[in-house]
Amino acid sequence: MRVLVTGASGFVGRAVVDACLCAGHQVVTASRQPVEATESRGPLLTTQSDAELRALCRDCDAVLHLGNMAHGDAGSLDALLDYNVGLSERLYGAAAGARVQRFVYLSSSKVLGDESAVPLEVDAARAATDPYARSKALAEEALTLASVAPQTAGPALVVLRSPLVYGPEVRANFLRLLRWATTRLWLPLGTAQSPRSYIARANLASAFVAALAAPSGCYHVADATPWSTAELVALLRELDGQPRRLLRVPSWSMRLAAASVGQSAVFQRLFRPLVLATAASERRLNWHPQPAHAYLEETLAWYLSQR
């Protein structure tokens, strides 16, 4: 297939481009930086006209839409909504106008909230709790409505919901976890035993390749085994040749301490469960994640080499 990848020079985008090329697809990119072995058509911008967006999609069989504005990059909620919702909807319309057959959208587990006592199925109620998550949830809704509108006759829509992604060159929350794990300090995380889903960047990239042949719908993709924060830090320290050094501080006291300094969201990510149910999605996608241990070791080796 001839595939347009938006956000192709980003952390996940580069891996998706490589996976598509390895699978024998031709790749066209829309990204801030040119990507080797692809045809670059420049960045994806909210200021582009509908005609310019159709030109981005020209002669492509599929669009893999990873272009995304993160909360930290947005100057305002309006900017988040304009890029993540408005531009995604307009790009889908442009893909329809260019006769693209398939549109794959990267969403986030955050559209379902930040914690759940049970594994979350694809049809779980959306419960976004911050502006970024709300923008992704609204984008899912807008794309779904566009895909079933009789007047659109648009591409088949596939939505991939991903948890926190890790791999070499990772940033933000997982990078912070790497910094903590590679110190020699005792960490008060021994009671952070609630499982949370993660996904290796390479596994997410392979899911995008599988999505090129999957039925329309929403899919949950994640590594096979969730980790609790305590398990993840202990494993990273083991790989780094360190003892565990995890203090069993009562979680209620950690929650109060976090709230006192305005970090309740950090406590939630570290101590509360959030697991995506993936079995049905894996069957429909005809995709299975590769074992995560090697990818975690690769991520740690990258971090140590940078440090």
Side-chain angles (χ1 to χ4, degrees), residues 184-202:
R184 297 300 192 261
L185 301 175
W186 284 83
L187 297 175
L189 299 174
T191 56
Q193 296 290 342
S194 298
R196 292 184 72 89
S197 289
Y198 296 87
I199 188 167
R201 179 174 59 170

Side-chain angles (χ1 to χ4, degrees), residues 7 11 21 54 56 70 81 88 92 94 97 113-114 120 141 157 173 178 196 216 251-253 256 277 283 287:
F11 170 61
L21 291 171
R54 283 195 299 274
L56 279 181
L81 296 177
S88 296
Y92 182 87
D114 289 321
L120 291 165
E141 292 176 9
L157 175 65
N173 293 330
L178 286 169
R196 292 184 72 89
S216 299
S251 59
W252 62 265
S253 64
L256 290 177
R283 288 194 298 271
W287 167 86

Side-chain angles (χ1 to χ4, degrees), residues 162-247:
S162 162
L164 188 64
V165 185
Y166 65 92
E169 302 176 18
V170 70
R171 294 291 181 263
N173 293 330
F174 203 92
L175 179 60
R176 190 175 299 115
L177 199 64
L178 286 169
R179 288 172 180 154
W180 292 345
T182 52
T183 69
R184 297 300 192 261
L185 301 175
W186 284 83
L187 297 175
L189 299 174
T191 56
Q193 296 290 342
S194 298
R196 292 184 72 89
S197 289
Y198 296 87
I199 188 167
R201 179 174 59 170
N203 278 334
L204 181 54
S206 69
F208 267 93
V209 175
L212 291 171
S216 299
C218 181
Y219 298 86
H220 283 175
V221 291
D223 288 344
T225 304
W227 286 308
S228 70
T229 302
E231 290 171 334
L232 184 52
V233 170
L235 180 54
L236 287 168
R237 287 189 156 177
E238 178 185 333
L239 292 171
D240 193 27
Q242 294 191 52
R244 292 169 58 99
R245 295 196 188 95
L246 295 177
L247 294 170

Side-chain angles (χ1 to χ4, degrees), residues 5 10 58 70 115 117 129 134 153 160 172 174 201 203 232 244:
V5 180
R58 185 184 65 249
E115 68 172 274
T129 59
R134 285 195 288 274
L160 297 181
F174 203 92
R201 179 174 59 170
N203 278 334
L232 184 52
R244 292 169 58 99

